[in-house]
């Protein structure tokens, strides 16, 4: 069964002369275990597409099913873990309590889950710290742990490393790949960075603006596990170039 | 005060924020006393009488006001301070009762409004309008109606205190409940959290700093409400009554009035202090959670 199946999905914000067509005729299928990146110029509807998948907003046309159900059903089944660019941790809760928040809300009794997740993101020593005692990168790792505690089948990430410096960023990419490998979740990942998309993804969805559409889908085909070597391999450079050209082609159109 | 500023880069920065705050408050009080006495001294030695005549009736010495507290209210009576303390308890009872009821109503309204735009649109205008009617106009009505339904006098006064309390609490609760980051709300949505989980796990904790800010304002307002409410209620036992009596006898015993004012202020400060203590307990501030060492390091680095 497909994790994501979008048929002719469109999204228009507002009505009348004020309306903005953010997405038009999106056709996309994602299989279990894939790592999909959405890339494209600002305003091309990447976040909107991610939010449609996560049922944070509804499509105005077309059909969208998640794990074979409507997105709203998937949301009530708690199929989604979401990570935003801002970690948005709760200031008054410790790291561990933050990670336990989804469990509390879902009435899941699993005292080990938070500890496991914090170990997974290598923050086992910071459980009793408060969010503001952590660096930006550490906060984002907490946010990732929080999104994974309840084993969602689909992890949605909207520019999660956008606010991090290059070094931390590469480190986090490595960790996300490791987590993806260990947890077997499907990931949809929004990014502005071509190297990041190539390094992380199994497939890259290239989007073009006004209205947002899918212009190319590129298989990366790089071997797993990926590491520093991968970043220096010729195949990697070739893919980076391919994505860059796909993005440049649409500039010609627009 | 200038002393404090000068020391800011030196030893001042090494004091804990709480000590610094206490010292500043003490500094303000001392400055006021000093200003009062200096005015008296300068104006009387130069023979000036404007804007205020600096004689011992209009402007008694600060120490005379304090001494007055330890004189009998009337010949053979209790010490003034004892009389005033007993009165303070009565007034505090009205104020606290009104504060609690008004606070709960305000919180309830905030929750109602954040849940329902419709309710907000329907009732908010009335909530705002309620505060445009002067308390002095409301108080007698409340007293009359309270009497009509058999409410004890002090409860009628508490209603007036509640009337002043609920408004800031309602407005700030609403603001606080709306303060969480939209992304936090979206995360809650993605957990399929029911509205009460969103309220208690996200919105209310986010609102606490706002609510306590309002409660501190309301604590003073509740005291004012109680003092004012006692007058039309003809309530004999409270501080409001003492204020009225002594102001009528101002020409002969102004020191009693000033002494009473000091006690009223003390009661207000006490009440606000209690609320502040509760705030420290329930609202974890970064400063208080931060290990002392880091704070010092930062304070000295930042200058
Ligand atoms: N809530 C909204 N109301 C109205 N218009 C919106 C809303 N959200 C997005 N849009 C519009 O939809 C279009 C796509 O926005 P979106 O945020 O999905 O872009 P994006 O690709 O994520 O951009 P960025 O890379 O800058 O984050 C934009 O034109 C934007 O103005
Ligand atoms: Mg975006």
């Amino acid at each position: 069964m497909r994790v994501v199946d979008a048929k002719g999905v469109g999204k228009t914000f507002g009505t009348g002369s004020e309306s903005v067509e953010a997405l038009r005729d999106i056709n996309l299928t994602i299989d279990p275990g894939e790592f999909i990146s959405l890339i494209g110029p600002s305003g091309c509807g990447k976040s909107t597409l991610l939010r449609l998948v996560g049922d944070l907003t509804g499509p105005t046309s077309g059909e969208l099913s998640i794990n074979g159900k409507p997105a709203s059903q998937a949301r009530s089944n708690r199929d989604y873990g979401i990570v935003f660019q801002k970690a948005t941790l709760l200031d008054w809760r410790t790291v561990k309590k933050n990670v336990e928040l989804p469990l509390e809300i879902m009435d899941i009794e699993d005292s080990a889950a938070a500890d496991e997740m914090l170990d997974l993101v290598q923050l086992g020593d910071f459980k009793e710290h408060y969010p503001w005692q952590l660096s930006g990168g550490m906060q984002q790792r907490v946010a990732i742990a929080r999104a994974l505690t309840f084993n969602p089948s689909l992890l949605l990430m909207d520019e999660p490393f956008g606010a991090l410096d290059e070094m931390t960023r590469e480190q986090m990419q490595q960790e996300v790949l490791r987590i993806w490998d260990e947890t077997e979740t499907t990931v949809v990942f929004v990014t502005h960075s071509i190297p990041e998309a190539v390094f992380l993804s199994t497939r890259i969805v290239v989007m073009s603006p006004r209205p947002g559409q899918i212009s190319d889908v590129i298989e990366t085909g790089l071997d797993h596990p990926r590491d520093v070597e991968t970043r220096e391999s010729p195949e990697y450079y070739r893919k980076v170039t391919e994505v860059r050209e796909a993005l440049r082609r649409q500039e010609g159109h627009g | 005060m200038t002393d404090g500023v000068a020391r800011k880069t030196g030893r001042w920065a090494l004091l804990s924020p709480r000590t610094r705050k206490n010292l500043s408050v003490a500094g303000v009080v001392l400055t006021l006393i000093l200003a009062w006495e200096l005015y008296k001294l300068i104006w009387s030695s130069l023979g000036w009488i404007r804007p205020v005549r600096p004689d011992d009736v209009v402007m008694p010495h600060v120490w005379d006001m304090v001494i007055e507290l330890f004189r009998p209210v009337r010949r053979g009576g209790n010490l003034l301070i004892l009389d005033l303390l007993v009165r303070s308890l009565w007034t505090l009872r009205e104020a606290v009762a009104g504060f609690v009821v008004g606070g709960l109503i305000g919180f309830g309204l905030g929750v109602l409004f954040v849940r329902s735009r419709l309710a907000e649109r329907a009732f908010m205008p009335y909530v705002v309008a309620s505060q445009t009617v002067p308390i002095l106009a409301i108080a007698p009505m409340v007293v009359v109606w309270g009497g009509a339904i058999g409410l004890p006098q002090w409860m009628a006064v508490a209603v007036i205190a509640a009337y002043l309390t609920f408004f800031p609490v309602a407005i700030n609760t609403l603001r606080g409940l709306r303060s969480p980051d939209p992304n936090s709300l979206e995360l809650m949505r993605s957990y399929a959290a029911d509205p009460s989980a969103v309220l208690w796990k996200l919105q209310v904790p986010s609102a606490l700093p706002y609510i306590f800010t309002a409660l501190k304002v309301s604590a003073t307002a509740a005291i004012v409400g109680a003092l004012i409410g006692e007058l039309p209620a003809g309530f004999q036992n409270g501080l409001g009554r003492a204020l009225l009596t002594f102001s009528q006898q101002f020409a002969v015993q102004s020191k009693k009035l000033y002494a009473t004012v000091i006690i009223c202020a003390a009661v207000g400060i006490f009440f606000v202090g209690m609320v502040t203590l509760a705030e420290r307990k329930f609202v974890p501030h970064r400063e208080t959670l931060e290990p002392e060492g880091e704070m010092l390091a930062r304070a000295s680095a930042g200058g």
Side-chain angles (χ1 to χ4, degrees):
Chain A
M1 189 181 22
R2 296 265 154 74
V3 178
V4 175
D5 193 351
K7 287 197 191 79
V9 168
K11 173 73 182 178
T12 303
F13 289 102
T15 49
S17 59
E18 305 265 294
S19 72
V20 177
E21 187 177 14
L23 291 173
R24 180 189 289 174
D25 194 29
I26 299 290
N27 294 292
L28 178 66
T29 57
I30 301 177
D31 288 322
E34 279 199 278
F35 196 122
I36 302 292
S37 284
L38 308 180
I39 197 167
S42 187
C44 69
K46 304 179 292 293
S47 297
T48 305
L49 180 53
L50 195 82
R51 295 161 56 79
L52 281 174
V53 170
D55 192 40
L56 296 176
T57 181
T60 39
S61 60
E63 270 174 55
L64 177 65
S65 73
I66 308 296
N67 293 327
K69 331 165 253 210
S72 60
Q73 181 63 42
R75 185 169 61 81
S76 2
N77 291 3
R78 281 120 181 197
D79 283 355
Y80 305 117
I82 302 184
V83 180
F84 294 108
Q85 178 168 355
K86 280 185 287 176
T88 55
L89 303 174
L90 304 183
D91 247 3
W92 57 89
R93 285 176 166 249
T94 61
V95 164
K96 184 169 177 191
K97 285 274 174 201
N98 263 289
V99 175
E100 282 173 345
L101 178 72
L103 301 177
E104 275 174 34
I105 286 169
M106 297 171 189
D107 271 324
I108 301 173
E109 289 283 342
D110 187 349
S111 49
D115 286 333
E116 263 169 44
M117 285 308 146
L118 283 169
D119 287 338
L120 187 69
V121 298
Q122 297 175 339
L123 283 178
D125 295 337
F126 291 88
K127 288 173 190 155
E128 300 309 319
H129 282 61
Y130 283 86
W132 38 268
Q133 295 173 316
L134 306 183
S135 72
M138 290 158 94
Q139 292 186 14
Q140 205 54 298
R141 298 215 293 260
V142 178
I144 294 171
R146 176 180 60 187
L148 293 171
T149 31
F150 52 99
N151 285 321
S153 58
L154 185 53
L155 181 59
L156 306 177
M157 303 174 100
D158 194 346
E159 297 186 47
F161 310 144
L164 304 180
D165 65 88
E166 197 60 30
M167 297 294 291
T168 316
R169 205 168 166 141
E170 290 195 356
Q171 208 180 318
M172 296 289 289
Q173 291 165 5
Q174 197 71 62
E175 281 198 41
V176 161
L177 274 187
R178 184 173 53 79
I179 291 165
W180 172 66
D181 200 43
E182 285 177 28
T183 58
E184 295 170 347
T185 31
T186 310
V187 180
V188 182
F189 190 100
V190 172
T191 179
H192 274 132
S193 157
I194 300 171
E196 181 167 88
V198 174
F199 184 69
L200 291 175
S201 318
T202 52
R203 276 193 301 157
I204 300 172
V205 173
V206 182
M207 298 178 65
S208 61
R210 278 173 308 246
Q213 278 172 309
I214 295 179
S215 62
D216 292 271
V217 177
I218 298 171
E219 298 258 357
T220 58
L222 301 171
D223 291 337
H224 286 277
R226 300 177 185 177
D227 51 25
V228 190
E229 306 257 301
T230 312
R231 290 187 201 272
E232 289 164 359
S233 67
E235 297 87 2
Y236 174 77
Y237 279 113
R238 232 174 285 133
K239 282 297 162 190
V240 169
T241 310
E242 191 179 336
V243 175
R244 184 171 294 130
E245 278 172 359
L247 281 166
R248 196 169 305 143
R249 260 202 308 281
Q250 32 161 297
E251 262 170 43
H253 288 280
Chain B
M1 287 320 278
T2 47
D3 219 1
V5 175
R7 264 185 287 142
K8 203 151 198 142
T9 45
R11 270 177 303 155
W12 181 250
L14 291 176
L15 298 171
S16 79
R18 201 175 298 176
T19 319
R20 263 187 279 176
K21 201 169 159 197
N22 290 341
L23 283 178
S24 321
V25 171
V28 169
V29 172
L30 278 178
T31 310
L32 287 176
I33 293 176
L34 211 68
W36 178 275
E37 291 296 337
L38 272 179
Y39 177 97
K40 224 172 125 61
L41 187 73
I42 297 171
W43 261 250
S44 49
S45 57
L46 294 177
W48 293 349
I49 54 162
R50 278 175 208 288
V52 176
R53 189 188 290 272
D55 64 25
D56 285 348
V57 173
V58 179
M59 291 185 69
H61 285 293
V62 174
W63 48 86
D64 282 337
M65 301 173 196
V66 177
I67 290 170
E68 188 65 27
L69 281 171
F70 298 94
R71 294 228 173 93
V73 192
R74 66 194 84 76
R75 214 179 297 272
N78 275 333
L79 295 187
L80 178 61
I81 189 160
L82 285 181
D83 179 72
L84 290 179
L85 281 181
V86 173
R87 288 176 178 279
S88 301
L89 290 181
W90 283 99
T91 301
L92 259 180
R93 175 162 85 155
E94 299 149 1
V96 170
F99 177 80
V100 169
V101 172
L104 287 175
I105 291 174
F107 179 78
L109 283 174
V111 171
L112 177 69
F113 291 169
V114 84
R115 284 276 184 89
S116 153
R117 288 262 172 196
L118 191 67
E120 186 188 357
R121 237 173 292 150
F123 297 120
M124 190 55 117
Y126 295 99
V127 169
V128 175
S130 77
Q131 300 299 304
T132 62
V133 185
I135 186 68
L136 279 170
I138 301 261
M141 263 167 28
V142 172
V143 170
V144 171
W145 290 343
I149 61 169
L151 219 55
Q153 260 178 350
W154 74 270
M155 281 198 198
V157 180
V159 170
I160 295 162
Y163 178 86
L164 286 185
T165 298
F166 90 97
F167 181 73
V169 177
I171 299 296
N172 276 282
T173 302
L174 182 59
R175 251 164 51 100
L177 293 176
R178 291 224 169 104
S179 70
D181 192 294
N183 282 347
S184 296
L185 288 166
E186 287 178 344
L187 283 178
M188 286 291 175
R189 184 176 153 92
S190 80
Y191 307 147
D194 55 56
S196 82
V198 179
L199 183 68
W200 292 109
K201 298 215 183 272
L202 176 63
Q203 292 177 302
V204 169
S206 310
L208 279 183
Y210 294 81
I211 294 175
F212 271 102
T213 303
L215 288 179
K216 280 189 272 185
V217 174
S218 291
T220 330
I223 301 267
V224 171
L227 290 174
I228 290 178
E230 284 175 8
L231 305 182
F235 188 76
Q236 300 294 328
N237 302 334
L239 281 175
R241 186 69 210 183
L243 280 175
L244 187 64
T245 313
F246 294 141
S247 63
Q248 283 161 352
Q249 305 165 357
F250 186 78
V252 282
Q253 36 190 1
S254 68
K255 280 179 280 186
K256 283 209 174 70
L257 178 64
Y258 281 113
T260 310
V261 170
I262 291 176
I263 295 298
C264 289
V267 168
I269 291 168
F270 168 76
F271 198 0
V272 174
M274 286 302 163
V275 176
T276 307
L277 278 185
E279 178 183 31
R280 284 217 189 103
K281 184 159 162 45
F282 292 112
V283 185
H285 283 293
R286 293 178 173 213
E287 295 271 284
T288 55
L289 287 171
E290 222 163 322
E292 202 76 1
E294 278 173 41
M295 208 156 63
L296 293 184
R298 213 190 38 199
S300 44

